[in-house]
Structures are given as structure tokens and as C-alpha cells.
Amino acid sequence: MKYDYLIVGAGLYGAICAYELSKIGKKVLVIEKRGHIGGNIYTENIIGINVHKYGAHIFHTSNEEIWNYINKFADFNNFINSPMARYKNEIYNMPFNMNTFTKLWKDVFTPDDAIKKIEEEKRNYYVSNPKNLEEQAINLVGITIYQKLIKGYTAKQWGKPCNELPSFIIKRLPVRFTFDNNYFNDKFQGIPIGGYTQIIEKMLAGIDIQLNTDFFSNRKKYESLAEKIIYTGPIDKFFEYKYGCLEYRSLSFETEIIDSSNFQGNAVINYTDYNIPFTRIIEHKHFEFDTTSSKTVITREYPTTWKEGSEPFYPINDDKNNQLYLKYENEAKNLKNVYVGGRLGQYKYFDMDKIIFEALQFIEKIKICNK
Ligand code: FAD
Ligand code: UDP
């Protein structure tokens, strides 16, 4: 066999595996069904602006080792994600913080005022054991914020009303009683100056790559090329959906060059009204504090129903799907010489830092087995 490892997918997980394995002398082939490397972190330079082709990607982590690892492949700026949320003709700071509260309620000035106001707002709706996202959200921030900033956005994002969604989804969002618009609580945060694609290019330098190559277009042939396979696509597809299909949420992106130097004044603006079909508009130049180009590039992000053939962007980690995933995970554990990993392989809502952590842990295991 020509290769030690075949890696299916040139996203962040596949690229780290390829880089680390080739560093220890393994011969690696990467195949990628898209026409470019990078998976969902791919950025493309359009009129001098690095465009996040698959939605806003902000690197954030509290793990210093992971921060140091990614910084070997790019210089990061000090971007802090501070999205705004637009609801009809009102605009608010996210995540929910004192800036949001003081703008929403004219009689709120201090953290105590805000806590009191939210307590009042919760009084008529409080549920002691929240069973769904609606109940959880109202318990957390009260009815007004739920109705203006959560209800419509979440229903669009997941294609279901909030009372049919699991509450864990909202736990990603911080609620703060300080005037702090930082979307994340992590110690390290930033955007790679020059985009994310350079990171993957550096990881894959000198490694054989075949683009526009779907593993399933000739599975037998690709399986015969290497002794071991690292598969980073959807796990249910690998097993030909033998236990049934996992559910995903898909997205479509509409990118436009605008003849204005500053379209919205911020990298990310969420549109929380249900009647606006997109969830957010990204203005890419603001990720790199670009104040010189005379034009700008924006992307509208539309959540869509996932069906076979469309991109599975988000796993839907409710109980039903998690149970089904466990069956596939068990099956994968019993395979010899095949390893399934990454956001789709592990069917988890992993951010980039978690992907790096998972990939490096996997490589450590391989190194120990090789000894
Ligand atoms: P992917 O990037 O999905 O890579 C898998 C690759 O495998 C893809 O290129 C795919 O084409 C390829 N592939 C699949 N099947 C086959 C096949 N049969 N044959 C060949 N190739 C195949 N994380 C953050 O940390 N911060 C953020 O701000 C952030 N924002 C996000 C916004 C959106 C809209 C989304 C969807 C994700 C976001 N993430 C963010 C998460 C981040 O994108 C992931 O952590 C990371 O991209 C996962 O890398 P991966 O390699 O596991 O998967
Ligand atoms: N959310 C919301 N309003 C917003 C932004 C987010 O209600 O303006 C909710 C929504 O349910 C979303 C979840 O918070 O799915 C997590 O948001 P995040 O921005 O972390 O999602 P991602 O960037 O991963 O799509």
C-alpha cells in the first residue's frame, strides 16, 4: 500500500491529523469532496477582504496549550466578538448584559435594577423544572428578552418553535450584569490575520491532497490505498445509515460585494425577528479591523432544512439523535484500522478549540500504540 493513512476530509480535524502524522514520518493522503481545503473554517480573499465562506468563525479558548498550538500557524489579532441583535427597529448589544438591559428598560441603570427587573419579568412565567428552551430562556432572562431576542432567532435557526427544542442550546449564551459585550468567556480570543485558510495550507504543506474527491464515489478504491483510515465526514453515512439517519441543520449563505466602505459597522448583526428569513449578516472586513478598503463584502446566513446532499452544518443533539449516535459510535469502536473523528464524525457541536483538543488527543493515542 502506498499510504499509511487515508484521511477523509480536509477540515481542521483532518488537517491536524495529517500534519501530526506526517511529522512522525507517516505517509498520508488527504481526500476532500469540496473544491478547497479547510472545511467550514475556509476563508476566501474577495476584493482584498478575507471572507468566512461558511459563517463567522471566531477563535476562542481557555486552554493555553491550544492557543499556543494554533498560533504556530498564523498571527492572531485581538478581535473580540461583540455581536449586535436587531429586532424590528430596535438594536441591542449581545450577549445579554447591562448595555442590553439599560437600552431595553428606561428605568434600569444599575445591576440591582436589572436583576430586579428580570425577577419581575420572570414572576408570571417561572417554571421550576424547565423542560424546553422556551421555559429555560424565560427563567434565565424574562419574557421581554425572550420575545425580542431569542424566540424568533432560535425558531429560525433550528426550524422548530422554542417549546419543542431542548434547553441546552441556549446555555451557550452568557448573561452578565456588567457592561461587557464580549460574547465569549474564554481567556484567549482572536481572528487569524489573513484568514483561516493559511492555517490549513501550512498544516497540509507537502502532503498529498486530492480535492473534489468523495470517499463514497469509490469507497473500495480509497480503502485499498492506505493501511488506516481517518474519516471526518458524517458517521451515519459511513455505516450506510444502517440504524437510521441522524438529523442535521443546514445553512445557505448569500454573499454580496457592496459599494460602501462600511455597511453595518460591526462584524456580526443578528436578526432576531422571525419574519426576516436570515439569522445574521456578517460584514467580513470588521474581523480584521479593515478601515481602508472602499468596498465591503457581506454575507446573509439562512438556516435551511437538511436533506441528503446538502451540507450538514449543525448536529441536532437532542435525546433521540444522541441515542442513535451512540449506536454508530459503538460500531466505530469495533472497527479495525478505521478512526472516526471531527464535528460530523463525533456528532458534536465542537468549536475549533475542541476540535484541536480532540485531534491532538487522538494523535497521542496513536503515538502510544505505535511505540
Ligand atoms: P469540517 O470543517 O466539517 O470538515 C470536514 C471535511 O470533510 C469537510 O471539508 C467535508 O467536505 C469533508 N468530507 C465530508 N465527507 C466527505 C467525503 N465523503 N469524502 C471526502 N470529504 C468529505 N467554531 C469556533 O470555534 N468559533 C466559531 O465562531 C464558529 N462558528 C461556526 C459557525 C458556523 C456557521 C459553523 C457551521 C461552525 C462554526 N464553528 C465555530 C465550528 C467549526 O466550524 C468547527 O469546529 C470545525 O470546522 C470542525 O472541523 P472538522 O474538521 O471537524 O469539520
Ligand atoms: N441565540 C438567540 N439569539 C441570538 C443569538 C443566539 O436566541 O441573537 C440562541 C440560539 O438559540 C442559538 C444559541 O443561542 O442557537 C447559540 O448561539 P450561538 O451564537 O452560540 O450559535 P452559533 O454561532 O454556534 O450558531
PDB file of all heavy atoms in Angstrom, residues 279-297:
ATOM      1  N   THR A 279     -30.684  34.714   9.692  1.00  0.00           N
ATOM      2  CA  THR A 279     -30.419  34.902  11.130  1.00  0.00           C
ATOM      3  C   THR A 279     -29.376  35.978  11.373  1.00  0.00           C
ATOM      4  O   THR A 279     -29.391  36.638  12.407  1.00  0.00           O
ATOM      5  CB  THR A 279     -29.913  33.597  11.793  1.00  0.00           C
ATOM      6  OG1 THR A 279     -28.936  33.020  10.944  1.00  0.00           O
ATOM      7  CG2 THR A 279     -31.050  32.643  12.084  1.00  0.00           C
ATOM      8  N   ARG A 280     -28.383  36.092  10.460  1.00  0.00           N
ATOM      9  CA  ARG A 280     -27.376  37.123  10.717  1.00  0.00           C
ATOM     10  C   ARG A 280     -26.778  37.654   9.423  1.00  0.00           C
ATOM     11  O   ARG A 280     -26.817  36.989   8.390  1.00  0.00           O
ATOM     12  CB  ARG A 280     -26.256  36.650  11.650  1.00  0.00           C
ATOM     13  CG  ARG A 280     -25.958  35.180  11.628  1.00  0.00           C
ATOM     14  CD  ARG A 280     -25.042  34.744  12.788  1.00  0.00           C
ATOM     15  NE  ARG A 280     -24.808  33.309  12.659  1.00  0.00           N
ATOM     16  CZ  ARG A 280     -24.289  32.537  13.591  1.00  0.00           C
ATOM     17  NH1 ARG A 280     -23.882  33.041  14.717  1.00  0.00           N
ATOM     18  NH2 ARG A 280     -24.129  31.249  13.382  1.00  0.00           N
ATOM     19  N   ILE A 281     -26.220  38.854   9.532  1.00  0.00           N
ATOM     20  CA  ILE A 281     -25.409  39.387   8.431  1.00  0.00           C
ATOM     21  C   ILE A 281     -24.004  39.602   8.984  1.00  0.00           C
ATOM     22  O   ILE A 281     -23.818  40.211  10.047  1.00  0.00           O
ATOM     23  CB  ILE A 281     -25.962  40.722   7.875  1.00  0.00           C
ATOM     24  CG1 ILE A 281     -27.384  40.536   7.333  1.00  0.00           C
ATOM     25  CG2 ILE A 281     -25.030  41.265   6.785  1.00  0.00           C
ATOM     26  CD1 ILE A 281     -27.991  41.787   6.678  1.00  0.00           C
ATOM     27  N   ILE A 282     -23.039  39.062   8.225  1.00  0.00           N
ATOM     28  CA  ILE A 282     -21.640  39.230   8.609  1.00  0.00           C
ATOM     29  C   ILE A 282     -21.028  40.258   7.672  1.00  0.00           C
ATOM     30  O   ILE A 282     -21.222  40.170   6.460  1.00  0.00           O
ATOM     31  CB  ILE A 282     -20.868  37.912   8.403  1.00  0.00           C
ATOM     32  CG1 ILE A 282     -21.524  36.776   9.175  1.00  0.00           C
ATOM     33  CG2 ILE A 282     -19.417  38.043   8.818  1.00  0.00           C
ATOM     34  CD1 ILE A 282     -20.983  35.440   8.700  1.00  0.00           C
ATOM     35  N   GLU A 283     -20.291  41.206   8.208  1.00  0.00           N
ATOM     36  CA  GLU A 283     -19.513  42.120   7.355  1.00  0.00           C
ATOM     37  C   GLU A 283     -18.054  41.794   7.628  1.00  0.00           C
ATOM     38  O   GLU A 283     -17.487  42.150   8.671  1.00  0.00           O
ATOM     39  CB  GLU A 283     -19.838  43.582   7.670  1.00  0.00           C
ATOM     40  CG  GLU A 283     -19.171  44.513   6.659  1.00  0.00           C
ATOM     41  CD  GLU A 283     -19.578  45.975   6.813  1.00  0.00           C
ATOM     42  OE1 GLU A 283     -20.260  46.318   7.795  1.00  0.00           O
ATOM     43  OE2 GLU A 283     -19.178  46.770   5.927  1.00  0.00           O
ATOM     44  N   HIS A 284     -17.451  41.068   6.685  1.00  0.00           N
ATOM     45  CA  HIS A 284     -16.176  40.385   6.929  1.00  0.00           C
ATOM     46  C   HIS A 284     -15.007  41.311   7.245  1.00  0.00           C
ATOM     47  O   HIS A 284     -14.113  40.937   7.983  1.00  0.00           O
ATOM     48  CB  HIS A 284     -15.833  39.500   5.722  1.00  0.00           C
ATOM     49  CG  HIS A 284     -16.915  38.510   5.417  1.00  0.00           C
ATOM     50  ND1 HIS A 284     -16.937  37.256   5.941  1.00  0.00           N
ATOM     51  CD2 HIS A 284     -18.045  38.618   4.675  1.00  0.00           C
ATOM     52  CE1 HIS A 284     -18.021  36.616   5.528  1.00  0.00           C
ATOM     53  NE2 HIS A 284     -18.708  37.414   4.753  1.00  0.00           N
ATOM     54  N   LYS A 285     -14.985  42.521   6.671  1.00  0.00           N
ATOM     55  CA  LYS A 285     -13.805  43.391   6.864  1.00  0.00           C
ATOM     56  C   LYS A 285     -13.582  43.721   8.342  1.00  0.00           C
ATOM     57  O   LYS A 285     -12.457  43.924   8.778  1.00  0.00           O
ATOM     58  CB  LYS A 285     -13.921  44.665   6.029  1.00  0.00           C
ATOM     59  CG  LYS A 285     -15.035  45.570   6.470  1.00  0.00           C
ATOM     60  CD  LYS A 285     -15.240  46.864   5.670  1.00  0.00           C
ATOM     61  CE  LYS A 285     -14.208  47.267   4.695  1.00  0.00           C
ATOM     62  NZ  LYS A 285     -14.529  48.555   4.057  1.00  0.00           N
ATOM     63  N   HIS A 286     -14.667  43.733   9.132  1.00  0.00           N
ATOM     64  CA  HIS A 286     -14.526  44.124  10.538  1.00  0.00           C
ATOM     65  C   HIS A 286     -13.804  43.071  11.386  1.00  0.00           C
ATOM     66  O   HIS A 286     -13.359  43.380  12.486  1.00  0.00           O
ATOM     67  CB  HIS A 286     -15.893  44.454  11.144  1.00  0.00           C
ATOM     68  CG  HIS A 286     -16.559  45.621  10.482  1.00  0.00           C
ATOM     69  ND1 HIS A 286     -15.958  46.852  10.368  1.00  0.00           N
ATOM     70  CD2 HIS A 286     -17.764  45.742   9.860  1.00  0.00           C
ATOM     71  CE1 HIS A 286     -16.767  47.683   9.719  1.00  0.00           C
ATOM     72  NE2 HIS A 286     -17.868  47.032   9.400  1.00  0.00           N
ATOM     73  N   PHE A 287     -13.708  41.824  10.870  1.00  0.00           N
ATOM     74  CA  PHE A 287     -12.945  40.811  11.616  1.00  0.00           C
ATOM     75  C   PHE A 287     -11.471  41.184  11.693  1.00  0.00           C
ATOM     76  O   PHE A 287     -10.742  40.741  12.573  1.00  0.00           O
ATOM     77  CB  PHE A 287     -13.059  39.431  10.952  1.00  0.00           C
ATOM     78  CG  PHE A 287     -14.397  38.781  11.140  1.00  0.00           C
ATOM     79  CD1 PHE A 287     -15.156  38.387  10.042  1.00  0.00           C
ATOM     80  CD2 PHE A 287     -14.897  38.546  12.409  1.00  0.00           C
ATOM     81  CE1 PHE A 287     -16.384  37.778  10.225  1.00  0.00           C
ATOM     82  CE2 PHE A 287     -16.133  37.929  12.592  1.00  0.00           C
ATOM     83  CZ  PHE A 287     -16.877  37.551  11.492  1.00  0.00           C
ATOM     84  N   GLU A 288     -11.021  41.956  10.673  1.00  0.00           N
ATOM     85  CA  GLU A 288      -9.600  42.322  10.643  1.00  0.00           C
ATOM     86  C   GLU A 288      -9.416  43.841  10.731  1.00  0.00           C
ATOM     87  O   GLU A 288      -8.397  44.371  10.290  1.00  0.00           O
ATOM     88  CB  GLU A 288      -8.924  41.708   9.414  1.00  0.00           C
ATOM     89  CG  GLU A 288      -8.899  40.180   9.494  1.00  0.00           C
ATOM     90  CD  GLU A 288      -8.044  39.524   8.428  1.00  0.00           C
ATOM     91  OE1 GLU A 288      -6.903  39.975   8.201  1.00  0.00           O
ATOM     92  OE2 GLU A 288      -8.525  38.551   7.812  1.00  0.00           O
ATOM     93  N   PHE A 289     -10.419  44.523  11.278  1.00  0.00           N
ATOM     94  CA  PHE A 289     -10.344  45.975  11.523  1.00  0.00           C
ATOM     95  C   PHE A 289      -9.925  46.759  10.271  1.00  0.00           C
ATOM     96  O   PHE A 289      -9.135  47.695  10.354  1.00  0.00           O
ATOM     97  CB  PHE A 289      -9.352  46.285  12.669  1.00  0.00           C
ATOM     98  CG  PHE A 289      -9.530  45.408  13.884  1.00  0.00           C
ATOM     99  CD1 PHE A 289      -8.502  44.600  14.338  1.00  0.00           C
ATOM    100  CD2 PHE A 289     -10.733  45.391  14.570  1.00  0.00           C
ATOM    101  CE1 PHE A 289      -8.668  43.782  15.459  1.00  0.00           C
ATOM    102  CE2 PHE A 289     -10.915  44.573  15.692  1.00  0.00           C
ATOM    103  CZ  PHE A 289      -9.881  43.771  16.138  1.00  0.00           C
ATOM    104  N   ASP A 290     -10.451  46.335   9.120  1.00  0.00           N
ATOM    105  CA  ASP A 290     -10.074  46.972   7.859  1.00  0.00           C
ATOM    106  C   ASP A 290     -10.859  48.274   7.695  1.00  0.00           C
ATOM    107  O   ASP A 290     -12.081  48.268   7.559  1.00  0.00           O
ATOM    108  CB  ASP A 290     -10.385  45.976   6.726  1.00  0.00           C
ATOM    109  CG  ASP A 290     -10.290  46.571   5.339  1.00  0.00           C
ATOM    110  OD1 ASP A 290     -10.018  47.784   5.207  1.00  0.00           O
ATOM    111  OD2 ASP A 290     -10.504  45.821   4.373  1.00  0.00           O
ATOM    112  N   THR A 291     -10.142  49.396   7.725  1.00  0.00           N
ATOM    113  CA  THR A 291     -10.826  50.682   7.563  1.00  0.00           C
ATOM    114  C   THR A 291     -10.388  51.368   6.270  1.00  0.00           C
ATOM    115  O   THR A 291     -10.708  52.533   6.036  1.00  0.00           O
ATOM    116  CB  THR A 291     -10.504  51.618   8.751  1.00  0.00           C
ATOM    117  OG1 THR A 291      -9.089  51.652   8.912  1.00  0.00           O
ATOM    118  CG2 THR A 291     -11.169  51.167  10.035  1.00  0.00           C
ATOM    119  N   THR A 292      -9.627  50.624   5.438  1.00  0.00           N
ATOM    120  CA  THR A 292      -9.080  51.292   4.247  1.00  0.00           C
ATOM    121  C   THR A 292      -9.828  50.947   2.955  1.00  0.00           C
ATOM    122  O   THR A 292      -9.939  51.796   2.075  1.00  0.00           O
ATOM    123  CB  THR A 292      -7.586  50.941   4.065  1.00  0.00           C
ATOM    124  OG1 THR A 292      -7.468  49.519   4.042  1.00  0.00           O
ATOM    125  CG2 THR A 292      -6.734  51.520   5.172  1.00  0.00           C
ATOM    126  N   SER A 293     -10.346  49.706   2.817  1.00  0.00           N
ATOM    127  CA  SER A 293     -10.952  49.391   1.511  1.00  0.00           C
ATOM    128  C   SER A 293     -12.255  50.167   1.314  1.00  0.00           C
ATOM    129  O   SER A 293     -13.040  50.362   2.246  1.00  0.00           O
ATOM    130  CB  SER A 293     -11.154  47.883   1.319  1.00  0.00           C
ATOM    131  OG  SER A 293     -11.539  47.282   2.502  1.00  0.00           O
ATOM    132  N   SER A 294     -12.448  50.575   0.056  1.00  0.00           N
ATOM    133  CA  SER A 294     -13.599  51.452  -0.236  1.00  0.00           C
ATOM    134  C   SER A 294     -14.893  50.654  -0.384  1.00  0.00           C
ATOM    135  O   SER A 294     -15.975  51.202  -0.316  1.00  0.00           O
ATOM    136  CB  SER A 294     -13.310  52.246  -1.504  1.00  0.00           C
ATOM    137  OG  SER A 294     -13.105  51.322  -2.564  1.00  0.00           O
ATOM    138  N   LYS A 295     -14.759  49.323  -0.594  1.00  0.00           N
ATOM    139  CA  LYS A 295     -15.957  48.483  -0.708  1.00  0.00           C
ATOM    140  C   LYS A 295     -16.013  47.521   0.469  1.00  0.00           C
ATOM    141  O   LYS A 295     -15.068  47.450   1.272  1.00  0.00           O
ATOM    142  CB  LYS A 295     -15.906  47.692  -2.018  1.00  0.00           C
ATOM    143  CG  LYS A 295     -16.059  48.582  -3.211  1.00  0.00           C
ATOM    144  CD  LYS A 295     -16.196  47.790  -4.466  1.00  0.00           C
ATOM    145  CE  LYS A 295     -16.296  48.781  -5.628  1.00  0.00           C
ATOM    146  NZ  LYS A 295     -16.617  48.193  -6.863  1.00  0.00           N
ATOM    147  N   THR A 296     -17.097  46.763   0.517  1.00  0.00           N
ATOM    148  CA  THR A 296     -17.215  45.808   1.616  1.00  0.00           C
ATOM    149  C   THR A 296     -17.893  44.530   1.119  1.00  0.00           C
ATOM    150  O   THR A 296     -18.529  44.547   0.060  1.00  0.00           O
ATOM    151  CB  THR A 296     -17.970  46.459   2.809  1.00  0.00           C
ATOM    152  OG1 THR A 296     -17.809  45.663   3.965  1.00  0.00           O
ATOM    153  CG2 THR A 296     -19.451  46.635   2.517  1.00  0.00           C
ATOM    154  N   VAL A 297     -17.699  43.441   1.855  1.00  0.00           N
ATOM    155  CA  VAL A 297     -18.352  42.167   1.489  1.00  0.00           C
ATOM    156  C   VAL A 297     -19.208  41.737   2.664  1.00  0.00           C
ATOM    157  O   VAL A 297     -18.727  41.707   3.810  1.00  0.00           O
ATOM    158  CB  VAL A 297     -17.300  41.066   1.183  1.00  0.00           C
ATOM    159  CG1 VAL A 297     -17.994  39.776   0.742  1.00  0.00           C
ATOM    160  CG2 VAL A 297     -16.311  41.520   0.122  1.00  0.00           C
TER     161      VAL A 297
END
